[in-house]
Amino acid sequence: MIAILDYGSGNLRSAQRAFATSGVDVVVTSDRATALEADGLVVPGVGAFAACMQGLRSVDGEAIIRERIAKERPVLGICIGMQILFQEGSEHAENGNHKGVGVWEGEVSRLNAPILPHMGWNNVESDPNSILLKGVAGESFYFVHSYAAKKAVGQMQGWSFHGEKFLAVVEDGYVSATQFHPEKSGDAGLALIKNWVSAL
């Protein structure tokens, strides 16, 4: 079973439908026990870094993510759900950066690009050994964001470019993340979801 964490942020129903195409049961939940025990946990995210962190804390999401990682149970972050896995984010941060979950070190900061948000289709430069991007290397995925992580973290990375190079995919043992929305990325996104589910 796949659990999509409901903490008040994200396209929950579209994510549910997309992950259901992999042939597994999918639930949208804020229940701690369900989120901990699921074969895979999806952490979606839409909006601003600080608001997502506030919502995550309201359902004890930080602790759920950390406990799953400690127990070697897979987690997949999507869009802002990827960003909040980092140490800190500078979005709307007047008095110092907002604190993230801290799975990975580093800052999520504003893209240095002439047009923001970065919205639409873009390709991803991937590692040939990528699990998530197996069979879809070089395909385009759908992005909507103005902030991103820009330094390599984890065991494997995929990169994209909008004004500057940024992290589009991270694979790090039991934790994976995409800056783009696989549930909005057509056949390539559905293939990526199936790759993740198959590896659970």
Side-chain angles (χ1 to χ4, degrees):
M1 180 188 72
I2 304 300
I4 297 175
L5 189 62
D6 181 3
Y7 62 99
S9 175
N11 300 316
L12 300 176
R13 298 305 164 191
S14 62
Q16 183 180 26
R17 287 192 298 272
F19 279 83
T21 65
S22 63
V24 296
D25 292 330
V26 184
V27 297
V28 173
T29 185
S30 57
D31 179 72
R32 179 184 174 85
T34 304
L36 284 172
E37 294 306 315
D39 298 310
L41 179 69
V42 178
V43 182
V46 172
F49 188 102
C52 283
M53 281 304 302
Q54 187 176 7
L56 194 69
R57 292 184 184 115
S58 73
V59 298
D60 206 22
E62 277 188 282
I64 290 168
I65 292 168
R66 290 197 182 102
E67 191 170 332
R68 283 190 63 92
I69 294 168
K71 291 181 175 179
E72 300 183 344
R73 301 187 74 88
V75 175
L76 174 66
I78 294 174
C79 196
I80 313 297
M82 171 180 176
Q83 295 182 9
I84 58 177
L85 295 176
F86 284 83
Q87 205 167 24
E88 57 187 11
S90 64
E91 188 173 6
H92 304 318
E94 288 79 28
N95 302 308
N97 285 350
H98 301 293
K99 186 180 177 187
V101 178
V103 174
W104 297 311
E105 291 187 1
E107 177 189 23
V108 173
S109 59
R110 188 177 177 88
L111 286 169
N112 183 18
I115 297 173
L116 290 174
H118 170 216
M119 184 165 67
W121 297 83
N122 204 341
N123 60 351
V124 175
E125 171 195 317
S126 66
D127 187 298
N129 296 314
S130 170
I131 293 169
L132 290 182
L133 295 168
K134 183 180 179 182
V136 290
E139 295 285 344
S140 292
F141 298 89
Y142 190 79
F143 291 83
V144 185
H145 65 116
S146 297
Y147 290 74
K150 301 164 190 176
K151 293 183 179 177
V153 296
Q155 297 168 356
M156 199 173 299
Q157 304 85 33
W159 300 88
S160 198
F161 188 90
H162 182 72
E164 61 181 320
K165 192 175 178 181
F166 67 88
L167 268 179
V169 178
V170 177
E171 295 174 36
D172 192 19
Y174 294 93
V175 193
S176 302
T178 67
Q179 178 60 67
F180 53 82
H181 287 275
E183 78 280 10
K184 294 181 178 179
S185 295
D187 290 343
L190 295 179
L192 181 148
I193 287 169
K194 287 175 183 171
N195 286 343
W196 181 70
V197 171
S198 297
L200 296 178

